[in-house]
Amino acid sequence: MVSVQWFGSQALELTYKTATGKVANELLYRDDEARLTLVEQGRPWSFDGDGALFRLVSEAQRIRLAHLFDPVLAVHSSVVDPLPHQITAVYEAMLPRQPLRFLLADDPGAGKTIMAGLLIKELVARGDLQRCLIVCPGSLAEQWQDELYRRFHLPFEILTNDKLEAARTGNWFLETNLAIARLDKLSRNEEVQQKLQAPTAAGTWWSATRPTSCPPPSSAAR
C-alpha cells in the first residue's frame, strides 16, 4: 500500500503497487472489508530497527571472521611482543593441526606461557574453543590467572572450595568455561574429578597442563 485517503467513515481510496511494480488505485467501501485480508504488515525493509543492536551484531560478525583477514589476530589483540619461535610454534605448528595434542617443552624463560595464551585466545577468537581448563601447581595458579587476563584479557577463574560449595548447579565446572585448577586439588579429590567429567552442552575440556618436573615459570600446553 502506498497511500490511503478516507472519504468520511464509509469509503476510502487505496493506492497500491503490485508485485510487478505497477501503481494502481481502488475505491473501497465498508461492504468490501469481508474480502480483504492482511498479507504483510509494514514494508520488507522499513529501516526502523535498533541501530545500536545492528551495530553490535555486525561487530560480532566482524570479530568472528577477523582471523580470515588477520592471520595473527591474537598477537594484535593482546599485550604481548612475541618472539619468532613463539609465532612459529603457535601459528605454523599448532593451529593448523588442531585438535592434535602438543607439548611445549622449551627452556625456562622461553615464553611457554605466552605461547599457551596465544593459542587459547586464537582458538577463542575463531570460535573453536569454549571450555578451557588449566591445571598447574598451587603456587602458579594466581600467576596463570594474572598473565592470561593482563596480557590476553582472558577471564579465567581459579577453583576453590568456596566456589565448589556455592555453585548454583552443584557443579562449578558446568558454570565456568575458563577455569584454573590446582594439581593437588584434582588429583586428591575424587568428587572434584567426577564433577570435572560431567557432560555439558559446550563439550569437553580443552586443557593446558604444567608438569611439576619443569622449573617455574615453565608450562606445558596440551
Side-chain angles (χ1 to χ4, degrees):
M1 293 189 299
V2 177
S3 67
V4 176
Q5 183 179 359
W6 281 90
F7 297 97
S9 61
Q10 299 298 319
L12 62 83
E13 182 181 13
L14 172 65
T15 303
Y16 61 93
K17 182 182 295 186
T18 65
T20 60
K22 181 181 178 180
V23 178
N25 64 339
E26 186 175 349
L27 192 61
L28 299 175
Y29 299 90
R30 286 292 183 183
D31 296 340
D32 297 318
E33 289 187 29
R35 67 180 181 87
L36 300 178
T37 57
L38 181 63
V39 177
E40 182 179 356
Q41 184 175 3
R43 295 172 293 176
W45 302 281
S46 60
F47 298 101
D48 60 353
D50 189 334
L53 183 59
F54 175 79
R55 182 175 181 180
L56 177 64
V57 172
S58 61
E59 184 69 5
Q61 181 73 356
R62 184 189 69 82
I63 294 175
R64 189 176 73 86
L65 301 176
H67 70 276
L68 299 176
F69 304 92
D70 186 355
V72 288
L73 176 63
V75 175
H76 296 153
S77 58
S78 305
V79 188
V80 293
D81 188 12
L83 299 174
H85 74 276
Q86 296 170 340
I87 297 293
T88 300
V90 175
Y91 289 94
E92 295 184 15
M94 301 172 73
L95 278 172
R97 291 183 286 178
Q98 288 291 330
L100 294 179
R101 295 181 175 182
F102 300 91
L103 178 67
L104 296 177
D106 288 333
D107 296 332
K112 292 181 288 297
T113 304
I114 298 298
M115 285 185 271
L118 285 175
L119 179 62
I120 294 171
K121 183 161 187 178
E122 195 70 47
L123 291 175
V124 170
R126 298 184 182 194
D128 295 329
L129 174 63
Q130 288 184 298
R131 290 165 58 77
C132 180
L133 173 65
I134 293 176
V135 183
C136 62
S139 60
L140 297 179
E142 285 76 12
Q143 176 185 324
W144 268 95
Q145 183 185 46
D146 178 66
E147 289 290 312
L148 290 173
Y149 185 78
R150 181 168 57 89
R151 296 183 180 276
F152 304 100
H153 202 66
L154 294 171
F156 276 81
E157 294 289 338
I158 298 177
L159 172 64
T160 62
N161 291 331
D162 293 339
K163 291 179 180 178
L164 284 175
E165 296 175 358
R168 296 184 299 273
T169 61
N171 188 343
W172 181 77
F173 292 104
L174 297 180
E175 304 173 7
T176 309
N177 287 333
L178 300 179
I180 299 175
R182 293 175 171 85
L183 183 61
D184 56 344
K185 182 174 290 293
L186 292 185
S187 61
R188 300 175 184 175
N189 194 321
E190 294 183 1
E191 180 182 356
V192 172
Q193 292 182 27
Q194 293 176 357
K195 292 181 178 181
L196 180 62
Q197 300 299 327
T200 173
T204 57
W205 290 99
W206 187 93
S207 62
T209 62
R210 180 193 178 279
T212 55
S213 59
C214 296
S218 303
S219 62
R222 184 178 65 172

